[in-house]
Amino acid sequence: MPTAVVTGAGRGLGRATAERLARDGFTVACLDLDGASAAATAEAVGGVGFACDVTDRDSVLAVAAQIPECHALVNNAGIWRFESILDMGPEAAQAVIDVNVLGIVWCAQAFVPKLRAAGGGSIVNLSSGAAHTHSPGLGMYPATKTAVESLTKTMALELGPDGIRANAIGPGLIVSDGTAANYEGEKGAKRAAGVPLRRVGAPADIADVVSFLCGDDSRYVSGQVIYVDGGLTAGAAAR
Ligand SMILES: NC(=O)c1ccc[n+]([C@@H]2O[C@H](COP(=O)([O-])OP(=O)(O)OC[C@H]3O[C@@H](n4cnc5c(N)ncnc54)[C@H](O)[C@@H]3O)[C@@H](O)[C@H]2O)c1
């Protein structure tokens, strides 16, 4: 069975992705800062869980040493600290850069040798609609997701000759463990009204596109960003 590595697999989009890739026939290595949630996802999907902080390059390399093969890498772990540029403190700004940008680099360095050894494979990086349609008050987050899209294209160029594809997904408004509070009460309906498809997304909406990008149907797709957002980044929704 091929192996997929999913970071941030303990909850939210990462857990839904682990569930979907397991249904696709992957053995899923579930990595999360929270080792207990990684283990819980792994148990649910018949995979293997690891406590792993993607910002810690040595920790990522140590986990990779315990995973014999890798055919797909899903860099899903991400954080946000919403504040204005002028209020941004150095610790929060650095933390968002460390997880969202450098975490992807450290994971690529750890797992690309295994993708190469497998004769090729797929890397999927989680960007955000916020990289495309900017809003005030999101702090460092949109800049890090723009960086994710840039890194994705560089990976596609550098790794394509090894048969490794790299693509990014930009989720829109998705109700996950980390964002659920934004959709409580009337807030959910209000947000849904601004989406062309008139609903907010579920983690499975993202996981299904990760599945496509990890599978053979996307064999000639590389260096792309796919926004999975009900049409949100297309522009203003019709009233
Ligand atoms: N939910 C959305 O609406 C939305 C929209 C756009 C983009 N995204 C992106 O999708 C990804 C997943 O988002 P989510 O909503 O599922 O988030 P979430 O907060 O529900 O889950 C994120 C998971 O990542 C883990 N994590 C955090 N820091 C880590 C680290 N240093 N090392 C390893 N694991 C770490 C957390 O423990 C958690 O289990 C993120 O990259 C996020 O930026 C989400």
Side-chain angles (χ1 to χ4, degrees), residues 23 33 61 64 71 82 90 95 104 125 132 141 147 186 189 194 196 205 208 214 221 223 230-231:
R23 285 205 304 280
L33 184 61
L61 289 168
H71 303 82
F82 292 160
I104 286 181
N125 298 322
H132 180 281
Y141 184 75
E186 289 178 1
D205 293 321
D208 288 352
C214 289
V221 181

Side-chain angles (χ1 to χ4, degrees), residues 99-211:
V99 179
N100 296 4
V101 182
L102 293 175
I104 286 181
V105 177
W106 307 148
C107 287
Q109 290 181 356
F111 290 104
V112 162
K114 293 173 195 290
L115 290 162
R116 281 191 173 128
S122 175
I123 299 174
V124 180
N125 298 322
L126 268 290
S127 177
S128 168
H132 180 281
T133 308
H134 288 72
S135 309
L138 300 188
M140 190 55 75
Y141 184 75
T144 63
K145 292 303 189 179
T146 302
V148 168
E149 297 183 2
S150 174
L151 282 171
T152 300
K153 290 171 197 233
T154 302
M155 287 180 189
L157 294 172
E158 292 187 359
L159 305 177
D162 295 321
I164 299 170
R165 301 181 293 107
N167 293 287
I169 292 175
L173 301 172
I174 314 296
V175 186
S176 70
D177 295 287
T179 64
N182 300 335
Y183 300 94
E184 282 166 2
E186 289 178 1
K187 285 185 282 185
K190 200 173 164 195
R191 286 174 184 269
V195 179
L197 286 180
R198 292 294 191 268
R199 71 168 176 88
V200 294
D205 293 321
I206 305 304
D208 288 352
V209 182
V210 177
S211 165

Side-chain angles (χ1 to χ4, degrees), residues 8 11 13 32-33 52-54 76 78 127 141 145 172 174 176 178:
R11 67 180 202 175
L13 277 50
D32 203 288
L33 184 61
C52 180
D53 179 353
V54 298
N76 163 79
S127 177
Y141 184 75
K145 292 303 189 179
I174 314 296
S176 70

